[in-house]
Amino acid sequence: MEMLFEEEQRKIQAISDRLQRDSNSIAVLVINKDGQEIARAGQTKDLDITSLSSLFAGNVAATSAIAKLLKEEEFGGQFHEGTKYNVNISVVAKRAILAVLFDSNSSIGLVRLRVRRASEEMAKVFEDLVNKIQQQQKGSGGGQSPNIAGEITDDDIDKLFGE
Amino acid sequence: MSFINYSSREINCKLVYYGPGLCGKTTNLQYIYEKTNPDAKGKMISLATETERTLFFDFLPLSLGEIRGFKTRFHLYTVPGQVFYEASRRLILKSVDGVVFVADSQEARFEANIESLEDLRGNLVESGYNVDKMPFVIQYNKRDMPNAMSVEDLRRELNPNNVPDFEAIAVKGDGVFETLKAVAKLVLTELKGQKKG
């Protein structure tokens, strides 16, 4: 199972907020490679984040499979140009997908410049997260909240299904 | 792979509906979408061809309620059933937590069921999974068709390991929620058993 703790989420959130401001973009989404949201920043109220996350993940998975078929390690990123939204999609530390939605108030050059810096910072946070999860798996805890999976009982599951 | 987010207090799991072309995978999701309370579901997305055959996947996010203060969310996916979409099926199976194999009960589709089940086993192995050791249920769909095989015959050929199986008529909704509930329960039970990593 994959986990995200509050401390790392806060750090990713702060990097996302800054990226959105510095790149003058509309919104920033960080999702894991399975399409689960990790952080969002900017004007996201009118966006269907769940659907977008799933589709971005599908898109990245398909692009990565195309790269492998073409004997490329990985394509660097993707850029989609629209009339209202432009989207820059990149992969961070092989673990997460960083999508930046922007309009004519920004440019692809500026977005890519800011994304590069943010990606480096996020990669460090994901590295720490992996170490923390490994520590927890070894049972050393690392000061984290107890693993919820270990607390679930058969009763909890039955109750969820109204049994 | 289930994803536990301690920040948003969510448990996220991924279910995949697998099976031969036209067996009713998308119909299962459509019925679940139609009958689920709007608060508990997101938008259903279908990446389909112009003739409404699944091209890449269907996607439906569902909320089942809370366990110990954590929202449990299930992301339901279908794969494209047609044989030549093999590469897409492999992608969708990545990080799966539970699988529903939707079999087409019609006699003429028996070989297609066997082929699809073999395809599922192979693709899961490639992703590091073993279908015999993960949450897995079988649905015998289209029980109302005049040329439907007997459940005993289907069970003997498709379900030698006696995983939970269900008869269904997905267009009418028969058996759809029973199947979903069974696989979701197995996934959470598996998660409980894993405890770590």
Side-chain angles (χ1 to χ4, degrees):
Chain A
M1 89 187 64
E2 197 171 320
M3 288 183 259
L4 177 67
F5 301 113
E6 282 183 41
E7 184 186 352
E8 284 73 22
Q9 199 283 332
R10 269 201 305 274
K11 287 179 182 169
I12 299 282
Q13 184 64 52
I15 299 167
S16 306
D17 287 336
R18 199 174 62 236
L19 170 61
Q20 187 265 323
R21 279 196 310 272
D22 291 353
S23 63
N24 215 18
S25 59
I26 300 169
V28 169
L29 289 182
V30 185
I31 53 187
N32 73 6
K33 285 188 117 178
D34 302 335
Q36 313 281 3
E37 180 191 348
I38 293 171
R40 64 174 87 177
Q43 300 165 45
T44 56
K45 198 165 69 71
D46 297 328
L47 299 175
D48 181 348
I49 302 289
T50 307
S51 298
L52 281 173
S53 299
S54 160
L55 290 170
F56 281 140
N59 189 341
V60 166
T63 306
S64 173
I66 291 168
K68 281 197 183 76
L69 285 175
L70 298 176
K71 313 270 186 244
E72 284 280 337
E73 172 104 2
E74 192 82 63
F75 288 125
Q78 295 183 54
F79 172 55
H80 302 298
E81 190 173 7
T83 50
K84 191 175 159 200
Y85 287 108
N86 305 308
V87 185
N88 187 74
I89 305 169
S90 53
V91 176
V92 179
K94 296 186 176 175
R95 293 185 65 86
I97 296 162
L98 175 57
V100 180
L101 283 64
F102 63 100
D103 59 13
S104 55
N105 289 315
S106 185
S107 68
I108 182 64
L110 177 65
V111 167
R112 285 194 173 151
L113 182 72
R114 301 302 188 204
V115 159
R116 201 174 305 142
R117 188 178 129 187
S119 296
E120 286 168 9
E121 291 173 1
M122 281 185 195
K124 175 78 181 65
V125 180
F126 283 119
E127 197 182 309
D128 292 345
L129 177 63
V130 171
N131 290 336
K132 193 178 273 187
I133 292 171
Q134 280 171 354
Q135 273 182 4
Q136 200 189 54
Q137 284 170 4
K138 281 181 198 155
S140 51
Q144 283 309 308
S145 36
N147 188 343
I148 179 70
E151 295 179 9
I152 297 174
T153 64
D154 290 335
D155 265 3
D156 290 332
I157 297 173
D158 287 342
K159 265 186 224 154
L160 190 69
F161 294 100
E163 289 170 358
Chain B
M1 193 192 307
S2 52
F3 175 54
I4 301 183
N5 188 333
Y6 283 88
S7 179
S8 57
R9 298 187 74 76
E10 285 177 5
I11 297 170
N12 294 278
C13 302
K14 177 177 179 179
L15 302 179
V16 172
Y17 283 68
Y18 211 95
L22 295 174
C23 67
K25 301 174 288 294
T26 301
T27 310
N28 265 270
L29 259 65
Q30 280 167 338
Y31 187 81
I32 294 164
Y33 179 76
E34 280 164 22
K35 298 294 174 187
T36 303
N37 186 320
D39 301 340
K41 68 183 177 192
K43 200 178 281 178
M44 178 165 165
I45 296 208
S46 289
L47 302 182
T49 66
E50 284 180 2
T51 52
E52 296 195 0
R53 300 294 301 272
T54 302
L55 175 64
F56 195 5
F57 59 76
D58 303 300
F59 168 70
L60 174 61
L62 280 186
S63 294
L64 286 193
E66 288 198 1
I67 288 186
R68 299 191 171 242
F70 278 67
K71 284 172 247 159
T72 54
R73 295 183 191 279
F74 279 79
H75 284 185
L76 277 52
Y77 286 84
T78 65
V79 297
Q82 294 179 84
V83 174
F84 52 87
Y85 290 132
E86 167 83 20
S88 301
R89 281 193 293 277
R90 271 203 298 269
L91 290 181
I92 293 151
L93 274 181
K94 275 186 185 165
S95 304
V96 65
D97 294 303
V99 177
V100 175
F101 183 79
V102 182
D104 188 328
S105 296
Q106 298 178 94
E107 202 163 1
R109 299 297 288 160
F110 180 68
E111 286 301 323
N113 289 327
I114 299 280
E115 197 181 331
S116 179
L117 198 53
E118 283 303 311
D119 176 67
L120 168 66
R121 280 181 183 279
N123 285 335
L124 282 172
V125 166
E126 272 195 35
S127 299
Y129 296 97
N130 178 347
V131 75
D132 299 325
K133 291 180 180 168
M134 66 182 297
F136 177 55
V137 304
I138 297 178
Q139 181 187 81
Y140 309 115
N141 192 25
K142 306 193 185 183
R143 295 306 305 154
D144 56 337
M145 299 302 276
N147 51 356
M149 291 172 67
S150 73
V151 171
E152 290 69 32
D153 286 348
L154 287 167
R155 188 173 278 146
R156 190 171 52 245
E157 299 297 333
L158 302 175
N159 191 11
N161 291 337
N162 265 325
V163 299
D165 55 4
F166 302 88
E167 294 185 49
I169 308 169
V171 282
K172 293 183 187 164
D174 295 357
V176 170
F177 276 98
E178 289 83 347
T179 308
L180 171 64
K181 194 170 153 180
V183 73
K185 210 170 164 181
L186 285 177
V187 166
L188 290 173
T189 306
E190 174 79 12
L191 183 70
K192 176 175 87 75
Q194 280 177 12
K195 296 185 183 176
K196 292 170 186 171

